[in-house]
Amino acid sequence: MDSNDISFENLPRAVAHLVSEIAEIKFLVERKEPPIIPVKRIPIDIVEACQIIGKAKPTVYTLVRKRLIPCYKNGKKLYFFEDELLDWISKGKKKTLQEIQSEAEANFRKNTRKANVDSNQNLQR
């Protein structure tokens, strides 16, 4: 509906059109997700890294030298990111006895089926 078509006779139709437009705008605004603000990654020094992973400085230097821990070097200073250190820690998880047993059973079942298929193929030849 054009704004030029609005007259006293067309007023109810114009109001209905505006109501539908407002409802559509309201729907779009409500549906829109809040903007995602990226988290700034601030590098930390070796002292803070030691506190996060619970190791002494010489141990951290050894891990860096062996390239076992994620780090960055700018000049003579080492830098770390907290999220990378926490991820590094979580990758070193030791499996529980239940996890080891369930993996062993799954591998056993898989290998048993594979062995049965192979023996059946050999018998058919």
Side-chain angles (χ1 to χ4, degrees), residues 44-73 78-91:
I44 58 175
D45 64 357
I46 192 161
V47 174
E48 292 176 72
C50 291
Q51 291 174 349
I52 289 172
I53 62 174
K55 304 276 186 201
K57 264 190 189 182
T59 306
V60 174
Y61 281 123
T62 302
L63 292 170
V64 167
R65 189 178 73 247
K66 292 181 178 180
R67 298 184 186 269
L68 297 174
I69 190 169
C71 69
Y72 301 86
K73 189 171 183 180
L78 287 174
Y79 297 99
F80 303 87
F81 287 107
E82 185 175 354
D83 59 331
E84 289 180 350
L85 291 176
L86 296 175
D87 192 39
W88 174 76
I89 291 170
S90 66
K91 286 180 181 175

Side-chain angles (χ1 to χ4, degrees), residues 6-21:
I6 298 176
S7 64
F8 187 73
E9 292 82 28
N10 293 338
L11 193 58
R13 194 168 44 140
V15 170
H17 178 71
L18 288 174
V19 168
S20 67
E21 291 288 317

Side-chain angles (χ1 to χ4, degrees), residues 15-122:
V15 170
H17 178 71
L18 288 174
V19 168
S20 67
E21 291 288 317
I22 290 173
E24 185 177 340
I25 291 171
K26 182 180 176 185
F27 173 75
L28 291 173
V29 168
E30 287 175 349
R31 198 179 96 210
K32 185 179 178 186
E33 296 176 4
I36 298 172
I37 300 169
V39 178
K40 287 186 178 180
R41 293 179 63 199
I42 300 171
I44 58 175
D45 64 357
I46 192 161
V47 174
E48 292 176 72
C50 291
Q51 291 174 349
I52 289 172
I53 62 174
K55 304 276 186 201
K57 264 190 189 182
T59 306
V60 174
Y61 281 123
T62 302
L63 292 170
V64 167
R65 189 178 73 247
K66 292 181 178 180
R67 298 184 186 269
L68 297 174
I69 190 169
C71 69
Y72 301 86
K73 189 171 183 180
N74 191 358
K76 292 185 177 185
K77 281 201 72 149
L78 287 174
Y79 297 99
F80 303 87
F81 287 107
E82 185 175 354
D83 59 331
E84 289 180 350
L85 291 176
L86 296 175
D87 192 39
W88 174 76
I89 291 170
S90 66
K91 286 180 181 175
K93 178 184 180 279
K94 298 275 187 192
K95 294 181 181 177
T96 64
L97 289 176
Q98 288 177 336
E99 291 171 333
I100 293 169
Q101 186 176 6
S102 65
E103 279 184 15
E105 289 173 358
N107 286 335
F108 179 74
R109 281 190 229 115
K110 184 174 89 174
N111 290 336
T112 303
R113 283 189 218 133
K114 187 176 178 182
N116 289 339
V117 170
D118 289 344
S119 63
N120 288 339
Q121 288 177 352
N122 289 336

